[in-house]
Amino acid sequence: MGNTDAAYMAGVEVAHRVPVPTPRPFLDTFCSNLKETFFPDDPFRQFKQEKGGRRAIRALQYFFPIFEWAPKYTLSFFRADLIAGITIASLAIPQGISYAKLANLPPILGLYSSFVPPLVYAMMGSSKDLAVGTVAVASLLLASMLGRTVSAKEEPALYLHLAFTATFFAGVLQASLGLLRLGFIVDFLSHSTIVGFMGGAATVVCLQQLKGILGLEHFTTNTDLISVMESVFSQVHQWRWESVVLGCGFLSFLLTTRILSKRGSLFFWLSAAAPLTSVILGSLVVYFSHAETHGVEVIGHLTKGLNPPSLTKLTLSPPHMAVALKTGMVTGIIALAEGIAVGRSFAMFKNYHIDGNKEMIAFGAMNVAGSLTSCYLTTGPFSRSAVNYNAGCKTAVSNVVMALAVMITLLFLTPLFHYTPLVVLSSIIISAMLGLIDYEAAFHLWKVDKIDFCVCIGAYLGVVFGSVEIGLVTAVLVSILRVLLFIARPRTTMLGNIPNSMAYRRMDQYPGAQSIPGVLVLGIDAPIYFANANYLRERISRWINEEEDRLRANGKASLHYVILDMGAVSSIDTSGISMMKETKKTLERSELQLVLANPGSEVMKKLDSSKVLETIGHDWIFLTVGEAVGACNFILHTVKTGNLMENGGVMALDSHV
């Protein structure tokens, strides 16, 4: 059948032929693919028209954006940044102290970490709205991962040194990812993964604060829900009513201001100042009531002065360097994903673009600098950045103002925090974390994509019932499994003709689409690789069997042609080529003709170089599905009908004779 059809195809006028692309040198192709992988944003475009000194200035502006926007800075911008900076400082100071306690580090480190890193980011960051500082999730991860090896209570000096070392490794990793243009690695943390992970981590952080709210001295070091609940309810007789009253009171105040902040700009300022207000009121209550003598724990002494150097405190030798390296890599990736996601969100609101790789370099630089100046891991927290955005910031100068406010606090105001109750810090953390449990996003995932919802819930449950690391690994593995399933089991669909048009669309999507008698049109919606070649061969065979069964059941003409729409097949490997050969042979044995429609340049090059193009026949490759169906119909209804009539005439003549 194939040879006869091929003979007739010479007489069929085809509107367009599908050419084989002109071969390109391997090095050109390799460099082009390399550029698309690592430089999709074409960062060198801005240097093409520049020469000499101007090119050096452009390079300096690329790595230090401050030199680009500083010359255009105005007094009106400064007024806005001054207000925003002071506002986020009022949030950064209590949050910094709170998160340092969450990481089992001295509270003063939270203030140190809100001084040096924001200054570095102001010079190197590309976001106008990101407010740099410590975050609860990274603090919890740090405490969880380091706490398994070193006890913060029994070996505080070693634990502190490991925290600095983990921050150093996190910074090196972040900067390396940016310099090597490997930012796409962070994309493996999908939106659903981040929603579930952040929600689970926020839940775990809130559970950990029950120690402060209830005034417990001993608490489990595990973070899972069951361990925390067991620790809480096994010590009911040790709950302190003073802590419970203070904690619930300040938590109610913070949540009330958060709710009111959504009703107008006036209430926004009340919400922004609420954490610092809580610290001041809590300190006054403890000071005048002497609550510390009744079991209410306070921060105690905070050292005056700016960040001391910590280069000599880095632990860069065995046996503890391994745990610092592992902690730094995990926390660095999480902090990177959170910071870039937050930065991109606010950039979208103001309609400007931030470069993910440049942000990685900036985050890495500020964390390396921080690790050398007694800081621990920092990134761009959502709550602080939201306050910065709503306060009307214009540039990264708001981070500089915040850092200067923290500097003044370190130099002169640290004694004022002596009587700050830990229960107030717990309330501040809980109020901030509740905003990270994005149930609306989870509900949206359920409505739009059930698999994404499963990824989200898997991450959430893994964090809440296992650990932060288990939840993260679970979510990433499920996401990768989903990608592998998409590759290994690509969708194939039967296409039909939309009446009164040359368009061919999925018949399950368009009920009015009509099948073509004697012709089966199949769409393949993915590249053909070793992972899916066998599946596609079997699936195509099943489509053919089902179509032939349907035709026999309806008493219609048999199947003659199988058209594969290759428009979505961007590439094919050697396993895919072998699959095409085998499919061609299988169809020939069943007296069916394989026809290809709309193959891309990469597919045509591979088919040509492997001689499969000769096997299929160039006459059976068409630009569109419509042209392929037209050619098949011409043969079916013109050529073969003529053959049948001739044969019938000969038989009649023989009978008459």
Side-chain angles (χ1 to χ4, degrees):
M1 174 183 177
N3 293 333
T4 304
D5 288 351
Y8 286 119
M9 283 298 294
V12 178
E13 182 179 353
V14 179
H16 305 94
R17 290 291 183 184
V18 180
V20 177
T22 305
R24 292 177 60 190
F26 170 75
L27 188 60
D28 288 353
T29 304
F30 177 77
C31 291
S32 176
N33 292 336
L34 201 66
K35 179 181 178 182
E36 289 303 314
T37 301
F38 295 101
F39 303 98
D41 55 341
D42 193 14
F44 301 113
R45 180 175 56 85
Q46 58 186 316
F47 300 102
K48 291 178 182 177
Q49 305 299 325
E50 305 292 350
K51 295 181 180 179
R54 287 292 304 170
R55 182 170 292 184
I57 293 173
R58 283 286 187 184
L60 187 66
Q61 291 175 341
Y62 179 81
F63 289 103
F64 296 91
I66 189 172
F67 291 111
E68 183 177 357
W69 55 261
K72 298 177 284 187
Y73 197 71
T74 64
L75 183 61
S76 62
F77 280 10
F78 178 71
R79 292 195 195 98
D81 288 334
L82 179 65
I83 295 172
I86 294 174
T87 304
I88 57 175
S90 67
L91 182 64
I93 292 170
Q95 276 192 351
I97 295 172
S98 305
Y99 294 156
K101 290 291 293 181
L102 181 61
N104 292 329
L105 293 169
I108 193 66
L109 260 67
L111 297 181
Y112 290 161
S113 301
S114 298
F115 174 47
V116 173
L119 294 176
V120 177
Y121 183 82
M123 293 186 292
M124 302 185 68
S126 56
S127 173
K128 302 174 184 178
D129 304 281
L130 209 65
V132 171
T134 56
V135 289
V137 175
S139 301
L140 178 67
L141 264 173
L142 200 71
S144 175
M145 298 184 72
L146 293 182
R148 292 200 186 101
T149 304
V150 179
S151 172
K153 289 185 178 180
E154 297 175 4
E155 299 177 281
L158 177 59
Y159 183 89
L160 181 64
H161 296 174
L162 289 179
F164 293 150
T165 310
T167 302
F168 174 78
F169 284 131
V172 170
L173 173 68
Q174 292 169 338
S176 300
L177 291 177
L179 290 170
L180 298 176
R181 311 291 295 182
L182 297 175
F184 60 86
I185 293 177
V186 179
D187 293 336
F188 280 102
L189 294 175
S190 63
H191 173 67
S192 55
T193 301
I194 293 175
V195 169
F197 176 78
M198 296 300 288
T203 302
V204 168
V205 170
C206 290
L207 292 173
Q208 291 290 311
Q209 302 318 302
L210 292 176
K211 176 186 178 183
I213 295 291
L214 301 175
L216 299 175
E217 294 183 8
H218 305 287
F219 204 71
T220 179
T221 56
N222 297 325
T223 58
D224 62 283
L225 176 65
I226 296 175
S227 298
V228 172
M229 290 295 98
E230 183 180 356
S231 180
V232 167
F233 289 105
S234 64
Q235 304 182 73
V236 175
H237 58 287
Q238 295 183 16
W239 292 6
R240 308 289 304 191
W241 69 266
E242 298 92 345
S243 293
V244 173
V245 170
L246 278 176
C248 292
F250 282 109
L251 181 59
S252 300
F253 168 67
L254 291 166
L255 293 178
T256 301
T257 57
R258 177 187 289 271
I259 294 172
L260 290 175
S261 67
K262 300 176 182 179
R263 299 188 176 182
S265 58
L266 179 63
F267 292 109
F268 159 74
W269 298 106
L270 177 63
S271 175
L276 186 59
T277 304
S278 299
V279 168
I280 295 172
L281 292 176
S283 301
L284 292 174
V285 168
V286 170
Y287 179 77
F288 288 109
S289 65
H290 303 288
E292 75 275 15
T293 61
H294 298 284
V296 177
E297 291 188 69
V298 296
I299 290 178
H301 176 69
L302 290 181
T303 306
K304 265 189 181 184
L306 301 181
N307 304 33
S310 55
L311 174 62
T312 57
K313 297 178 181 178
L314 298 182
T315 305
L316 301 177
S317 59
H320 294 107
M321 187 182 77
V323 67
L325 177 61
K326 176 185 174 183
T327 304
M329 293 182 67
V330 174
T331 55
I333 290 291
I334 294 299
L336 205 56
E338 181 179 356
I340 292 177
V342 171
R344 284 175 175 169
S345 298
F346 289 108
M348 180 181 65
F349 293 151
K350 288 188 177 179
N351 195 27
Y352 68 92
H353 173 72
I354 64 172
D355 186 331
N357 288 292
K358 286 168 66 175
E359 286 294 281
M360 292 179 189
I361 296 172
F363 286 164
M366 75 183 189
N367 279 312
V368 169
S371 69
L372 305 179
T373 53
S374 300
C375 304
Y376 78 102
L377 192 68
T378 53
T379 184
F382 177 80
S383 58
R384 205 175 302 179
S385 299
V387 170
N388 194 31
Y389 172 82
N390 290 319
C393 68
K394 298 297 182 183
T395 67
V397 169
S398 59
N399 277 288
V400 177
V401 174
M402 176 189 71
L404 293 176
V406 173
M407 180 188 73
I408 294 172
T409 302
L410 286 169
L411 290 174
F412 306 108
L413 305 178
T414 51
L416 299 179
F417 295 96
H418 179 92
Y419 291 100
T420 300
L422 298 184
V423 67
V424 171
L425 302 184
S426 296
S427 302
I428 292 172
I429 293 175
I430 292 175
S431 66
M433 289 301 97
L434 290 177
L436 294 181
I437 304 176
D438 197 349
Y439 60 90
E440 292 181 352
F443 182 68
H444 178 72
L445 290 173
W446 171 258
K447 290 195 300 183
V448 175
D449 192 320
K450 301 296 189 294
I451 297 180
D452 263 351
F453 177 78
C454 291
V455 172
C456 175
I457 292 300
Y460 181 85
L461 296 178
V463 173
V464 173
F465 288 97
S467 66
V468 177
E469 302 96 297
I470 291 175
L472 180 62
V473 170
T474 301
V476 172
L477 288 179
V478 173
S479 297
I480 293 176
L481 178 62
R482 183 183 186 184
V483 173
L484 293 177
L485 285 175
F486 279 148
I487 295 174
R489 294 294 183 267
R491 182 168 293 153
T492 59
T493 53
M494 184 174 176
L495 307 182
N497 177 243
I498 304 297
N500 302 318
S501 76
M502 289 292 289
Y504 287 79
R505 296 293 184 267
R506 293 177 50 170
M507 297 187 67
D508 58 347
Q509 182 181 2
Y510 294 86
Q514 300 174 353
S515 60
I516 311 301
V519 180
L520 174 63
V521 185
L522 298 177
I524 301 176
D525 291 347
I528 304 176
Y529 293 123
F530 65 93
N532 60 27
N534 287 330
Y535 167 78
L536 285 173
R537 182 179 60 249
E538 295 168 359
R539 191 67 185 91
I540 290 171
S541 297
R542 200 168 95 205
W543 275 114
I544 293 171
N545 294 334
E546 291 172 355
E547 181 65 8
E548 288 180 332
D549 292 343
R550 186 183 68 83
L551 292 174
R552 279 195 295 269
N554 295 331
K556 295 184 178 179
S558 60
L559 189 63
H560 296 281
Y561 299 97
V562 177
I563 301 175
L564 299 183
D565 183 3
M566 307 283 283
V569 181
S570 58
S571 60
I572 188 171
D573 69 355
T574 53
S575 298
I577 291 170
S578 298
M579 184 274 289
M580 296 295 290
K581 287 181 181 178
E582 294 175 17
T583 301
K584 169 66 176 174
K585 292 177 182 177
T586 302
L587 293 181
E588 283 180 345
R589 286 195 293 268
S590 301
E591 297 187 349
L592 297 174
Q593 175 64 49
L594 176 65
V595 184
L596 303 184
N598 193 24
S601 60
E602 289 298 315
V603 175
M604 287 296 290
K605 282 194 293 186
K606 296 285 182 67
L607 294 179
D608 181 56
S609 60
S610 63
K611 306 301 181 183
V612 175
L613 201 56
E614 296 178 4
T615 304
I616 298 175
H618 205 292
D619 289 335
W620 293 107
I621 299 178
F622 298 88
L623 182 64
T624 65
V625 174
E627 291 185 6
V629 172
C632 294
N633 275 333
F634 175 82
I635 297 173
L636 281 174
H637 298 110
T638 304
V639 178
K640 292 187 176 180
T641 302
N643 285 345
L644 290 173
M645 290 177 65
E646 290 176 6
N647 292 337
V650 171
M651 292 174 64
L653 180 62
D654 290 342
S655 176
H656 177 72
V657 172

